[in-house]
Each structure stands twice: as C-alpha cells, then as structure tokens.
Amino acid sequence: GGIVKIAVLVSGGVDSSVALKLLKEQGYDVTAFYLKIWLEDELSYLGHCPWEEDLAYVRAVCDQLNVPLQIVSLQKEYWDQVVTYTMAEIRAGRTPNPDVICNQRIKFGMFFNHIDSSYDKVATGHYAQVVQDEQGIFHLLRAPDDIKDQTYFLSYLSQAQLARALFPIGHLPKEKVRELARSYHLPNK
C-alpha cells in the first residue's frame, strides 16, 4: 500500500518533462533523476557542454513542478557497458545500436541497481507502451505515433525490467505532447 514512488529519468527534453508533469498530476510521489553518462570531462576542451544546457532545463522544470532532482553519474558504467561493447561490435563487422544497449544496461540496468527498491517504477519519456497480460507476462507495445515509436530502442528489456518500466506519454502522439508542454507552460516548451 501507500503512495507509489516513481523515479523519473529526465533529459531536459519536452518528452520527459511532460511525462514528469503527468505523473505529478496523477498524484504519484515523483523524484527526477538526470543521468550523466556522456564523458563530458573529456569534452570540456570544446568549451561547450551540451549537458549543461540540458541540466539547466531539467532544473527549471523540476523547480516549476516542485519535484526533487538527483544527478547520477554513470559515466564509467556507460563507458564499460556501452562504448566498449559498441566498439567491439563495430570491429567484428556488426552495426550495433548504442541506444538499445544503453536502455538495457544503463537506464533500466545500472540505474535500476543504483536506486533502492523504494521506487516502485522507473519512468521515461519514451514513446512505447507496456501491458501485462492475464498470465502476468509484460508486453512492449508500439506507440500510436509511428514516427516517434521507440520500441526498437527498448527491445532488449527483460521481463523484470519491463515490470518496473513506465512510459507516461507512450500512448500519445508527439503533437499532443507538444500541446501539453505549451499548456503547462514548461520552461522548455
């Protein structure tokens, strides 16, 4: 029983921001998490860190919605689990998709392990749907928005991962998400 606690992965984009707002409106106890996975320290010589801008949007959205924000650095894990794998696959003549591996091993893998079990679900702004059937099996279903559908990127998720995954905007077309962002006056609308 009790209130459902949800860890929401936010990126600074409109999709995860609308997902956060919808869950907050629905009365869930939400905490936003921003994952630092790219190796920004190695890119600092470029003078511009794209993640700083993302984080500024994330902070502004969380402030507006009065949602706590935690920043989690999984850079080493990202390097070990995603970059190394991707390079090995390319060397072997295959064409891996880093996003697929990142979702499986980082967002719904290492991050699941990082947060404690007090969070019932992990939500993201992905365009996908999860449905549980009568036998208790979780199914990943396509989003109605064919162009935005992201089920391919989530295709490696296990039953245990799907059981904890939540996609609050997965049933909406992108245009509707943009409309919601405008109506909520989100900082990144």
Side-chain angles (χ1 to χ4, degrees), residues 62-128:
C62 290
D63 286 348
Q64 184 184 320
L65 300 180
N66 194 24
V67 167
L69 170 65
Q70 291 189 34
I71 296 161
V72 179
S73 177
L74 292 174
Q75 291 154 293
K76 184 186 182 312
E77 292 82 349
Y78 185 80
W79 180 266
D80 292 347
Q81 296 283 328
V82 181
V83 179
T84 318
Y85 169 86
T86 300
M87 292 192 300
E89 285 291 285
I90 289 168
R91 277 193 212 99
R94 290 185 285 268
T95 51
N97 186 304
D99 288 336
V100 173
I101 302 305
C102 183
N103 283 319
Q104 177 202 23
R105 298 187 180 178
I106 304 293
K107 290 181 183 168
F108 296 96
M110 296 289 176
F111 178 68
F112 268 30
N113 305 342
H114 171 84
I115 58 168
D116 60 50
S117 56
S118 71
Y119 289 95
D120 302 286
K121 297 273 185 182
V122 172
T124 68
H126 281 104
Y127 287 86

Side-chain angles (χ1 to χ4, degrees), residues 21 176-186 189:
K21 169 74 173 169
K176 179 68 183 160
V177 173
R178 284 204 189 98
E179 263 173 48
L180 286 170
R182 285 193 292 271
S183 70
Y184 295 146
H185 302 291
L186 292 173
K189 65 180 188 287

Side-chain angles (χ1 to χ4, degrees), residues 5 8 13 31 41 66 92 128 141 146 173 189:
K5 284 186 71 177
V8 186
T31 301
D41 306 325
N66 194 24
L141 303 183
D146 278 339
K189 65 180 188 287

